[in-house]
Amino acid sequence: MLTTLNTAYTDTRAADLAWALGREPLPALATLDLELGGAKMQLRLLGASHQVLLEEERGRHCSETVACIPGSSTPLPLGVAKRADDWEYEFAARVEVLSPGSFAGRAQELLALVSDHPHGLAGVFPGSPHAFTAMLAQWHEGQVHWRTWHAYPQDGQLVATRTRVGVRASVPTPVPVAL
């Protein structure tokens, strides 16, 4: 799904993005509700940032936010691996710096990929066809995966993230053996 975000594009930078796990839902400019493999998921565009809310069928919750968060002391990490309750969570991010021509081509490619995908959500900012945030989710081998792209055309920067979340397999309790 492709939408035009009803907000002005401000000169944010890739370096201003912060990462947070477990935040409450923030006001969204666009959302997409999905059900993947028994998990309920909401992709949320927050302007030049994103939030993913995930609820597993047994009621377990996971929330990821990548945004310009005032007062945040957690910059965007290159990678995170965490266990939270029964969740296994892996996150990775990278910043690509592209020439203006390469940036425009990559922007068009990503927007076409995400806007035509049934589990994709992309928002374009008024005034610049290459200023966007895009998200794409999928279910694979019992885990939820999503990728995001945050475009900063004024700097030729594209922030790409990928996340994998799965429920940890419980280890059976050993049964005592009588001798």
Side-chain angles (χ1 to χ4, degrees):
M1 180 171 88
L2 179 64
T3 185
T4 298
L5 299 173
N6 191 17
T7 188
Y9 182 73
T10 58
D11 288 334
T12 56
R13 302 174 304 129
D16 293 336
L17 288 175
W19 168 86
L21 193 60
R23 286 186 70 104
E24 292 297 317
L26 297 171
L29 298 172
T31 63
L32 178 63
D33 292 314
L34 301 170
E35 190 159 331
L36 300 173
K40 291 181 181 178
M41 176 178 215
Q42 187 176 67
L43 305 179
R44 302 167 59 81
L45 296 178
L46 311 174
S49 52
H50 80 262
Q51 188 173 51
V52 175
L53 306 177
L54 183 65
E55 182 180 347
E56 189 254 341
E57 58 192 11
R58 289 179 280 177
R60 296 182 186 98
H61 296 271
C62 181
S63 162
E64 172 189 280
T65 306
V66 171
C68 300
I69 303 169
S72 175
S73 60
T74 307
L76 191 64
L78 294 177
V80 174
K82 284 186 159 263
R83 286 187 174 181
D85 297 321
D86 287 341
W87 295 102
E88 287 186 359
Y89 171 91
E90 289 181 9
F91 171 87
R94 74 177 189 285
V95 178
E96 298 177 49
V97 180
L98 303 164
S99 70
S102 295
F103 191 93
R106 184 82 168 120
Q108 289 174 337
E109 174 185 280
L110 288 170
L111 287 171
L113 169 75
V114 173
S115 63
D116 291 340
H117 196 283
H119 302 145
L121 175 62
V124 178
F125 292 90
S128 176
H130 303 130
F132 67 91
T133 301
M135 309 172 73
L136 187 62
Q138 67 178 8
W139 176 262
H140 182 69
E141 296 182 357
Q143 298 177 335
V144 179
H145 300 253
W146 62 87
R147 298 193 61 189
T148 72
W149 298 271
H150 304 256
Y152 301 96
Q154 74 279 8
D155 297 326
Q157 293 182 329
L158 183 67
V159 177
T161 73
R162 64 179 167 77
T163 303
R164 179 192 64 81
V165 176
V167 176
R168 231 183 333 175
S170 58
V171 178
T173 306
V175 177
V177 178
L179 297 175

